[in-house]
Amino acid sequence: MALKIPDAPKVGMVSLGCPKALVDSERILTKLRSDGYALSPDYDGADVVLVNTCGFLDSAKEESLEAIGEAIAENGRVIVTGCMGNEAELIRARFPEVLAITGAHQYEDVVNAVHDAAPPVPNAFVDLVPEGGLKLTPRHYGYVKISEGCNHSCAFCIIPDLRGKLASRRIDAVLREAEKLVAAGTKELLIISQDTSAYGVDVRHEERLWKGEPVRTHMTDLARALGGLRTPQGEQPWVRLHYVYPYPHVDAVIPLMAEGLLTPYLDIPFQHAAPNVLRAMKRPANEAKVLERLRGWREICPDIAIRSSFVVGFPGETEADFQYLLDWLEEAQLDRVGAFRFEPVEGAQANALPDHVPDEIKEERFQRIMDACARISAAKLAAKIGRTLPVIIDEVGEPDEDGSVGATGRSQADAPEIDGHVYLRDVDPGLSAGDFVSVEIEDADEHDLFGVPISV
């Protein structure tokens, strides 16, 4: 008689917030899959739905509450986790029917809650996960989180309250995870944390053995080791550093970019440039030295792309402070910039500061900074016309009426989800997501490049 394999309970997932939360979701799903659970792509098929919330801004909290409400309306059996989990009373006041609430990166508690809500059905034939774990990103790129928490006390931020102080992962564990991802087909590793530059500070940069050699728990050692990974086909994956505070030792990773071990890209959250605002934010106020270092980095690695984000309308920001920021940006010539209107966050020190900026002035400054940064971006992208750049393919289109195939990719200056694209014409229809191609750049606009692959 044929063996009947029992149906596995199904879990649905709604993941909100930043890439760090996305990694949390991937870890949770990987553990649940290894416990025999199946994944449901919709509410109807799920025995229980997980909502991984974001609690950084009030607007993000409201989005999280809306997602919880939708999950309850569509399914009814909901478990809440993530950064908003520390506000369980607020969640239960609005949604008393929620089955369980856990905080950020409390993986064991989440899994236990799922076990209670929809007990697993052990079966040796189905309790399997891919070697690289389950991913919520496309196969060809993946996030690697190297630490939790943060030791900073920025006035506008409550991340240390939500996620605790810095807690670095063992470097050998990070490298093992990255190696598995690359072996499973990942062509681009995105290194994330709350403060990538501080990696290892909490463990005094302890040494671990990797491939028989000692390696320090330090950003530069990690970057060099990641640069040595290769795909099964012998290709070198791109390695992109995010959330890098400009500590002095960041200078040491620029030569690694010039050597080709690291993708020439740094995501640095400057937040502002005016000394008065930086002090009010409780951020380092050494903007002049930063400009000097940017010039030095570009001398070592001319193709380095710098991404950053800035807050406009912080309490006490004057028109002179804002103009200082605009002038600084003209000098800095950053490649990619995101801007945010200041938004009070419950529990943040900035809420108690005097001289809050009216919303209409915040909006006017936001438009001005975005216009200025778009102009800078357009000029920098126009300078790439005529060059040949390496591009990673994200998506290949269908042939048009003439049989021509287009594709969308990214240059080394473009991180997924947050930066621009390279739009390609006349590509080989055999191309797939994750392929690397050399592209001649033919045109550009404020954010994107346009080109054609060339034979190499």
Side-chain angles (χ1 to χ4, degrees):
M1 189 170 91
L3 175 68
K4 173 123 173 35
I5 297 177
D7 292 334
K10 292 185 178 181
V11 177
M13 169 70 84
V14 178
S15 188
L16 305 172
C18 64
K20 292 176 284 295
L22 186 71
V23 171
D24 291 342
S25 296
E26 291 174 342
R27 288 182 181 175
I28 293 166
L29 291 180
T30 296
K31 180 64 174 75
L32 290 171
R33 186 68 186 90
S34 70
D35 288 347
Y37 288 86
L39 305 182
S40 174
D42 52 43
Y43 291 118
D44 290 342
D47 294 293
V48 63
V49 175
L50 294 175
V51 180
N52 192 0
T53 58
C54 179
F56 182 53
L57 298 173
D58 288 347
S59 55
K61 292 179 183 179
E62 189 55 40
E63 181 185 8
S64 294
L65 291 170
E66 289 176 2
I68 296 167
E70 178 179 310
I72 288 174
E74 297 291 335
N75 181 278
R77 296 176 57 76
V78 176
I79 294 170
V80 176
T81 187
C83 287
M84 203 176 168
N86 68 334
E87 300 192 42
E89 293 182 4
L90 172 62
I91 295 170
R92 288 207 177 278
R94 190 179 298 194
F95 306 110
E97 58 269 68
V98 165
L99 299 177
I101 301 172
T102 71
H105 55 86
Q106 294 178 355
Y107 312 118
E108 186 174 342
D109 292 344
V110 178
V111 170
N112 287 340
V114 174
H115 284 195
D116 291 340
V121 181
N123 188 289
F125 294 100
V126 298
D127 296 352
L128 302 172
V129 296
E131 181 67 15
L134 299 180
K135 294 296 169 188
L136 298 176
T137 54
R139 183 185 180 198
H140 63 285
Y141 67 82
Y143 295 98
V144 178
K145 183 158 57 172
I146 63 174
S147 64
E148 298 283 0
C150 180
N151 288 343
H152 294 285
S153 57
C154 301
F156 54 82
C157 183
I158 58 171
I159 289 296
D161 297 328
L162 296 177
R163 291 182 171 260
K165 293 293 187 180
L166 176 71
S168 299
R169 293 178 62 198
R170 288 177 50 153
I171 191 167
D172 53 343
V174 172
L175 291 171
R176 192 173 300 112
E177 177 185 341
E179 184 179 56
K180 287 182 177 181
L181 284 171
V182 173
T186 299
K187 299 290 190 70
E188 181 178 15
L189 299 170
L190 301 113
I191 309 306
I192 60 171
S193 68
Q194 297 297 337
D195 181 357
T196 297
S197 305
Y199 178 58
V201 167
D202 55 313
V203 294
R204 299 184 179 181
H205 302 302
E206 66 179 7
E207 285 190 349
R208 296 280 180 176
L209 287 179
W210 173 249
K211 306 293 185 182
E213 297 293 331
V215 59
R216 292 182 307 154
T217 308
H218 192 284
M219 182 178 72
T220 53
D221 291 48
L222 175 65
R224 185 175 291 278
L226 290 170
L229 296 177
R230 295 294 181 271
T231 69
Q233 295 76 33
E235 293 177 305
Q236 180 178 355
W238 288 0
V239 179
R240 199 181 292 276
L241 299 180
H242 288 270
Y243 309 106
V244 177
Y245 282 71
Y247 303 149
H249 67 262
V250 173
D251 294 350
V253 302
I254 310 305
L256 301 183
M257 297 177 183
E259 293 172 29
L261 293 177
L262 272 182
T263 303
Y265 179 100
L266 278 182
D267 172 16
I268 302 179
F270 290 122
Q271 307 297 7
H272 215 282
N276 292 337
V277 178
L278 288 171
R279 280 192 290 271
M281 288 179 167
K282 296 190 175 180
R283 305 276 294 182
N286 57 350
E287 77 294 339
K289 190 171 182 180
V290 168
L291 290 174
E292 181 182 326
R293 292 175 71 198
L294 288 174
R295 286 190 288 269
W297 294 348
R298 286 167 174 151
E299 289 176 4
I300 296 169
C301 184
D303 281 335
I304 188 172
I306 308 294
R307 149 164 278 282
S308 192
S309 56
F310 296 86
V311 177
V312 300
F314 190 79
E317 181 191 62
T318 64
E319 176 61 27
D321 292 328
F322 181 70
Q323 186 59 52
Y324 190 107
L325 171 58
L326 292 181
D327 294 341
W328 187 90
L329 286 168
E330 291 289 345
E331 183 79 14
Q333 290 287 297
L334 302 182
D335 299 84
R336 300 294 190 188
V337 172
F340 304 90
R341 308 161 188 84
F342 172 77
E343 186 177 319
V345 179
E346 185 176 350
Q349 303 168 54
N351 298 347
L353 291 174
D355 302 321
H356 279 241
V357 178
D359 287 344
E360 60 271 20
I361 295 180
K362 284 185 201 174
E363 183 62 31
E364 186 263 346
R365 290 177 183 172
F366 173 79
Q367 295 300 328
R368 285 163 64 191
I369 193 173
M370 295 309 295
D371 289 346
C373 292
R375 177 173 44 76
I376 292 170
S377 175
K380 293 186 75 91
L381 293 177
K384 297 182 180 183
I385 296 174
R387 292 187 58 190
T388 298
L389 300 178
V391 167
I392 188 169
I393 298 298
D394 283 329
E395 185 178 4
V396 178
E398 296 294 328
D400 62 17
E401 61 274 10
D402 298 322
S404 178
V405 175
T408 303
R410 288 176 290 107
S411 74
Q412 291 185 312
D414 303 307
E417 306 291 336
I418 57 174
D419 293 327
H421 299 90
V422 183
Y423 294 102
L424 308 179
R425 65 175 178 86
D426 299 334
V427 306
D428 182 342
L431 276 181
S432 300
D435 287 343
F436 293 116
V437 293
S438 294
V439 173
E440 180 181 344
I441 303 304
E442 300 175 310
D443 202 357
D445 59 21
E446 292 180 345
H447 304 291
D448 304 309
L449 296 170
F450 303 82
V452 61
I454 61 173
S455 300
V456 293

